[in-house]
């Protein structure tokens, strides 16, 4: 039995014929000994066309693919040729086969892959086509020094269980050496081994491999991007796999935001992650501790802004938990002074809260504010500016519940301030007076709530006493 993988999604029918006259090269023997595969190739005397690649496949006792390797065939002598590939083969490898490939159509592609489930690794064989080298070498021209760099193929691996459900993600940067591309006139094959770094509890039955090039990413989604999220997956253990590709020529920090939406497209969960990517590379990140019950996760890269710090997004769930994502662009670790405005179902502001959100310099982070009142149906979140001394940023009186909220910031030493509260009825008549002693700590924002004991009060005024 001989297997040959057909490239091309549009192929609907395949025919094969045995040639009457031997006019090319053929494989006459394949053996493997420890870390080397030997391939005997016979090249006919009348042969005028040499094969381009040699591909070797290996299988387990259960006929499952577990190994693949390759080599570039640059020249063959007439008669018998003994070729060999030094490689690390799986422990459960039972038999191998090989085939020769001719470069009728040249392309950058994944040729084949195989999963070694004993060592948790995937063998990937791929080709890279650089037309520039082919064109220059055919014309016997001089190669531009600016083209003398290695080419990268970015591999994305998707793991599936026995029911074809996605259960894991991984990635690899596959390097094609520039000298090898020159020696093969711009068309080379190579094999890499991807060590899977998913949790031991995740055991995919099979893997599917996709590839991307630098040029392909430049036109990803029909626009030039520096980096993008290619794929993500949340397993039933709460591990979120994220595959990201960086197209920039420099390494840098990317900010990820993770959102979950319900069936009505309402956001119900929010989180974030800082990821540092190497230049022109693909990588996989695993975030643990994400609620496994989430079903509609969305992951995006947040574009930074030229401002010291800002709130990216927020989300209020049904349990009264407010998730806030913020970025600190300053040169020091800092507290973001966050003011939270709460609104009822009619859109009236009825509640004020605050949070001192500690974010390291140059990073994104998430905080959770618990116990938002159930009657708050919508919130607005913003960062207050740092101002010298003690400042009353806002006051709000909830007439229905007779609660007075005061937001105070203090960019200075801790102190106590006395606030006089005057209450008036619907006709503007003075009906209530009290004093409130506010303890304001150093360099924070605070939300103070005062219960107004007089039911006649419809509006209030406050005055800070010296």
């Amino acid at each position: 039995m001989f297997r040959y993988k057909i490239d091309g999604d549009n192929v609907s029918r395949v025919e094969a014929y045995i040639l009457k006259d031997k006019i090319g090269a053929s494989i006459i023997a394949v053996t493997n000994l420890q870390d080397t595969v030997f391939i005997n190739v016979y090249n006919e005397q009348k042969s005028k066309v040499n094969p381009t690649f040699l591909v070797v496949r290996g299988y387990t006792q259960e006929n499952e693919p577990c190994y693949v390797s390759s080599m570039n065939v640059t020249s063959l002598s007439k008669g018998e040729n003994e070729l060999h590939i030094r490689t690390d083969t799986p422990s459960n490898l039972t038999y191998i086969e090989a085939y020769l490939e001719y470069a009728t159509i040249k392309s950058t592609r994944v040729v084949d892959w195989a999963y070694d489930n004993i060592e948790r690794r995937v063998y990937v064989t791929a080709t890279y086509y650089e037309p520039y080298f082919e064109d220059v070498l055919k014309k016997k021209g001089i190669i531009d020094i600016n083209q003398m760099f290695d080419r990268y193929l970015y591999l994305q691996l998707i793991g599936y269980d026995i029911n074809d459900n996605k259960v894991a993600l991984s990635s690899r940067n596959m390097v094609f050496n520039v000298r090898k591309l020159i020696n093969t006139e711009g068309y080379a094959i190579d094999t890499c081994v991807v060590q899977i770094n998913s949790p031991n509890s995740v055991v995919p039955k099979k893997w599917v491999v996709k590839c991307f090039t630098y040029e392909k990413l430049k036109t990803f989604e029909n626009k030039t991007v520096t980096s993008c999220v290619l794929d993500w997956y949340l397993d039933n253990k709460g591990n979120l796999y994220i595959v990201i590709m960086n197209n920039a020529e420099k390494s840098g920090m990317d900010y990820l935001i993770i959102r979950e939406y319900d069936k009505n497209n309402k956001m119900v969960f929010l989180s974030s992650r800082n990821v540092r990517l190497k230049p022109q590379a693909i990588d996989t990140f695993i975030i643990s501790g994400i609620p496994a019950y989430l079903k509609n996760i969305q992951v995006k890269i947040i574009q930074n802004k030229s401002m010291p710090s800002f709130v990216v997004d927020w989300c209020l769930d049904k349990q009264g938990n407010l998730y806030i994502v913020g970025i600190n662009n300053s040169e020091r670790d800092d507290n973001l002074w966050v003011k939270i405005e709460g609104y009822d179902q009619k859109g009236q502001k009825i509640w004020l809260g605050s949070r001192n959100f500690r974010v390291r310099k140059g990073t994104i982070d998430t905080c959770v504010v618990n116990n938002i009142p159930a009657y708050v149906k919508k919130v607005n979140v913003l960062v207050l500016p740092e101002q010298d001394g003690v400042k009353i940023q806002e006051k709000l009186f909830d007439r229905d519940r007779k609660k007075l909220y005061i937001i105070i910031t203090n960019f200075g030493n801790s102190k106590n301030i006395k606030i006089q509260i005057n209450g008036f009825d619907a006709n503007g008549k003075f009906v209530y007076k009290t004093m409130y002693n506010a303890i304001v700590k150093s360099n924070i924002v605070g939300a103070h709530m005062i219960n107004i004991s007089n039911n006649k009060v419809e509006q209030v005024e406050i005055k800070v006493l010296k």
Side-chain angles (χ1 to χ4, degrees):
M1 180 175 64
F2 179 77
R3 282 165 268 226
Y4 188 87
K5 188 170 182 178
I6 305 297
D7 287 304
D9 297 331
N10 298 324
V11 177
S12 58
R13 181 183 177 188
V14 176
E15 295 180 352
Y17 303 93
I18 297 177
L19 299 176
K20 293 181 180 180
D21 299 319
K22 294 181 179 181
I23 58 173
S26 58
I27 296 173
I28 57 177
V30 183
T31 56
N32 69 296
L33 296 173
Q34 295 181 343
D35 61 348
T36 306
V37 175
F38 297 93
I39 308 99
N40 288 51
V41 178
Y42 189 84
N43 193 22
E44 298 293 334
Q45 297 295 329
K46 297 181 181 180
S47 176
K48 295 182 179 180
V49 180
N50 279 329
T52 311
F53 305 134
L54 171 68
V55 179
V56 178
R57 292 195 185 104
Y59 300 86
T60 66
Q61 183 69 40
E62 293 76 25
N63 201 31
E64 294 288 338
C66 65
Y67 169 79
V68 64
S69 61
S70 61
M71 69 179 299
N72 298 279
V73 182
T74 54
S75 62
L76 288 175
S77 302
K78 301 300 180 184
E80 187 169 339
N81 297 260
E82 186 178 277
L83 309 177
H84 66 276
I85 302 173
R86 293 197 175 276
T87 180
D88 183 14
T89 56
S91 58
N92 57 346
L93 177 66
T94 302
Y95 66 97
I96 57 175
E97 63 185 19
Y99 72 87
L100 297 167
E101 183 172 313
Y102 295 81
T104 53
I105 300 177
K106 298 180 180 181
S107 64
T108 299
R109 60 192 170 90
V110 174
V111 176
D112 205 354
W113 63 86
Y115 180 36
D116 175 8
N117 59 8
I118 304 297
E119 298 294 334
R120 291 171 60 84
R121 57 188 177 181
V122 179
Y123 295 85
V124 182
T125 293
T127 60
Y128 198 101
Y129 178 43
E130 180 51 81
Y132 171 79
F133 290 140
E134 181 184 42
D135 184 60
V136 171
L137 293 171
K138 281 185 177 180
K139 295 178 180 178
K140 301 186 183 300
I142 298 175
I143 297 175
D144 185 349
I145 189 66
N146 294 320
Q147 293 292 329
M148 292 296 294
F149 58 89
D150 296 341
R151 269 50 172 185
Y152 284 85
L153 192 60
Y154 308 123
L155 303 179
Q156 177 189 354
L157 292 84
I158 309 167
Y160 295 89
D161 64 14
I162 195 170
N163 298 315
D164 284 336
N165 298 313
K166 186 194 296 185
V167 294
L169 291 173
S170 190
S171 59
R172 174 67 179 266
N173 300 287
M174 189 172 181
V175 183
F176 283 82
N177 182 272
V178 63
R179 300 195 179 278
K180 178 183 285 188
L181 284 168
I182 293 173
N183 291 336
T184 57
E185 296 187 345
Y187 193 36
I189 195 169
D190 207 349
T191 300
C192 70
V193 181
V194 183
Q195 194 67 50
I196 303 302
N197 61 352
S198 59
N200 292 332
S201 59
V202 179
V203 185
K205 178 66 175 176
K206 66 176 182 179
W207 290 87
V208 172
V209 182
K210 299 178 180 179
C211 70
F212 302 88
T213 61
Y214 173 81
E215 288 74 17
K216 187 171 183 179
L217 182 61
K218 280 169 44 176
T219 57
F220 188 80
E221 293 182 354
N222 297 319
K223 62 181 179 181
T224 301
V225 294
T226 55
S227 53
C228 67
V229 177
L230 293 178
D231 201 1
W232 61 86
Y233 166 71
L234 178 64
D235 69 17
N236 57 11
K237 304 292 184 182
N239 301 307
L240 178 61
Y241 301 77
I242 306 173
V243 177
I244 306 176
M245 195 167 169
N246 180 21
N247 201 33
E249 296 182 359
K250 296 181 180 180
S251 61
M253 186 78 78
D254 270 322
Y255 303 141
L256 295 183
I257 190 163
I258 303 159
R259 298 181 175 101
E260 166 74 10
Y261 296 88
D262 62 15
K263 61 182 179 180
N264 298 318
N265 205 33
K266 181 181 179 182
M267 197 193 314
V268 294
F269 176 81
L270 188 64
S271 189
S272 61
R273 178 69 178 258
N274 298 283
V275 293
R276 184 170 292 279
L277 295 171
K278 295 179 181 179
Q280 297 180 5
I282 192 172
D283 208 346
T284 303
F285 300 88
I286 303 177
I287 303 175
S288 303
I290 303 294
Y293 59 81
L294 302 180
K295 302 297 182 184
N296 192 22
I297 283 280
Q298 302 291 321
V299 181
K300 290 185 178 180
I301 291 177
I302 292 298
Q303 299 301 316
N304 206 350
K305 298 179 181 179
S306 57
M307 54 196 314
S309 53
F310 60 97
V311 170
V312 177
D313 206 352
W314 59 87
C315 165
L316 178 63
D317 68 16
K318 293 180 179 179
Q319 288 73 42
N321 302 308
L322 175 62
Y323 302 87
I324 305 173
V325 172
I327 289 177
N328 178 10
N329 278 327
S330 68
E331 295 299 320
R332 57 182 170 85
D333 296 351
D334 205 358
N335 279 332
L336 275 61
W337 288 351
V338 175
K339 182 179 76 169
I340 308 166
E341 302 171 339
Y343 297 83
D344 63 14
Q345 212 149 15
K346 297 178 180 179
Q348 295 177 324
K349 189 189 294 187
I350 56 170
W351 182 85
L352 287 177
S354 68
R355 177 65 178 255
N356 293 281
F357 187 4
R358 186 75 174 174
V359 184
R360 291 183 295 112
K361 64 179 181 180
T363 65
I364 192 172
D365 207 348
T366 306
C367 72
V368 183
V369 181
N370 306 114
N371 302 318
I372 303 296
Y375 52 81
V376 173
K377 303 301 180 184
K378 182 182 177 182
V379 297
N380 184 46
V381 178
L382 63 155
V383 177
L384 296 173
E386 292 182 347
Q387 295 176 307
D388 289 336
V390 176
K391 299 288 182 183
I392 293 181
Q393 298 287 345
E394 186 177 353
K395 71 173 177 66
L396 173 71
F397 181 51
D398 179 2
R399 294 183 181 88
D400 293 338
R401 298 167 184 84
K402 301 304 181 207
K403 295 179 184 292
L404 173 65
Y405 299 93
I406 305 174
I407 299 293
I408 305 175
T409 58
N410 179 18
F411 195 59
N413 297 325
S414 298
K415 60 181 66 178
N416 292 349
I417 62 172
K418 292 183 178 180
I419 301 175
Q420 179 177 313
I421 303 169
N422 298 327
F424 303 86
D425 64 13
N427 298 317
K429 182 181 177 181
F430 177 72
V431 294
Y432 179 77
K433 179 180 178 181
T434 189
M435 298 295 295
Y436 177 73
N437 185 43
I439 301 173
V440 289
K441 296 182 179 179
S442 174
N443 300 322
I444 68 165
V445 60
H448 300 257
M449 191 275 290
I450 304 105
N451 288 307
I452 303 301
S453 57
N454 190 327
N455 291 330
K456 295 180 180 180
V457 174
E458 292 293 322
Q459 55 181 324
V460 297
E461 291 180 356
I462 63 173
K463 180 181 179 181
V464 177
L465 302 180
K466 296 183 180 180

